[in-house]
Amino acid sequence: MKTRIAIAFVAVLFAIVAFSLAPHPANAQEYVGQRYFGVNIGQAKAGYASCDEGPTLTWTNCPDKDIGIKLYAGHNLHKNFAVEAGFIDFGEFKPRLAVSGGRRIDRGLIKISGKSLFIAGMGKVHVHPKANLFGKIGLHRWDIETGIEWEEPGRWPPQPDVDDDGVDLFYGIGGEVAPFSNEKVKLRVEYEMFTADDFNNSGSDIDFEFISVGVIYAF
């Protein structure tokens, strides 16, 4: 699945570049007032506390990766500006950690799952009547659950799962292309970074990178 997503990401990116190099009229026009909805699927990567290591702590499989999905809708207020809102499920991640104490090493599995509701402003640059590049910045309300499973649970007291939420900034870049005669259907490729600052008042952050491809229908 991850290989297919990578191939689709490259294919859409190549299409955007190809359209931008093709001859086109000087004035590219986006339908002002046009609304749209879309769905993206891609690779989400989660970094817990930036995967920092120390003299007694080491990580493996951190940051971990999973398949994420995003549903969203938007409104083109201007040919160069839009607002967009949606929901994203980042998936589930299982980085491993090892804690050293004297001659003993305790190993465990961290479980992380995250979801987010977001709203953003988008600036668009038209490189062709059927293709544009964009950047976005906005706010997202995240909801993250974490837990830990020790390989030898008797050595540590049981630790309850943690469920925390908050609001932070996020940003992204990407591109869109309408390769079909029906210009209401577009393909999108994008990179986004979502951060949950000070998770559970621990002073640590959880970062989600999301690289995805998607389909948009405008109306």
Side-chain angles (χ1 to χ4, degrees):
M1 175 65 77
K2 293 179 181 179
T3 300
R4 294 177 182 175
I5 291 173
I7 294 173
F9 186 93
V10 173
V12 175
L13 186 61
F14 178 81
I16 293 170
V17 173
F19 269 90
S20 68
L21 295 177
H24 57 274
N27 296 320
Q29 177 66 44
E30 183 92 354
Y31 289 108
V32 177
Q34 187 182 64
R35 297 176 177 86
Y36 61 87
F37 62 87
V39 57
N40 280 29
I41 185 170
Q43 177 181 275
K45 182 166 62 174
Y48 181 74
S50 302
C51 301
D52 290 338
E53 297 189 353
T56 62
L57 175 64
T58 58
W59 293 90
T60 57
N61 196 33
C62 188
D64 194 15
K65 301 174 183 177
D66 198 9
I67 302 300
I69 188 168
K70 180 174 69 169
L71 305 174
Y72 53 97
H75 185 192
N76 291 313
L77 303 177
H78 183 269
K79 70 175 184 177
N80 297 119
F81 182 75
V83 292
E84 189 171 284
F87 166 81
I88 180 169
D89 186 336
F90 296 106
E92 187 175 42
F93 311 90
K94 297 180 179 180
R96 304 187 67 86
L97 79 162
V99 181
S100 303
R103 297 181 179 180
R104 192 178 73 188
I105 299 178
D106 293 323
R107 293 180 173 85
L109 182 73
I110 298 287
K111 299 181 296 180
I112 304 170
S113 61
K115 301 177 178 63
S116 182
L117 294 170
F118 65 87
I119 185 168
M122 299 177 62
K124 298 184 178 183
V125 176
H126 296 270
V127 294
H128 187 276
K130 290 190 173 185
N132 68 76
L133 303 176
F134 63 82
K136 66 169 67 170
I137 187 169
L139 295 172
H140 75 112
R141 180 174 180 81
W142 48 267
D143 186 347
I144 300 174
E145 296 182 13
T146 66
I148 185 168
E149 295 179 355
W150 295 104
E151 291 183 358
E152 298 183 44
R155 292 186 175 182
W156 289 81
Q159 298 187 29
D161 293 348
V162 176
D163 187 350
D164 193 17
D165 57 60
V167 178
D168 284 295
L169 289 170
F170 82 100
Y171 64 88
I173 56 173
E176 297 172 343
V177 62
F180 311 111
S181 57
N182 181 0
E183 296 186 10
K184 292 185 177 182
V185 177
K186 296 181 180 181
L187 304 180
R188 174 185 283 196
V189 59
E190 60 186 318
Y191 166 88
E192 296 165 291
M193 170 62 80
F194 299 81
T195 299
D197 289 334
D198 195 20
F199 175 75
N200 196 35
N201 298 316
S202 63
S204 298
D205 301 339
I206 298 180
D207 298 328
F208 294 99
E209 285 185 283
F210 190 47
I211 299 176
S212 63
V213 294
V215 179
I216 295 171
Y217 181 77
F219 57 95

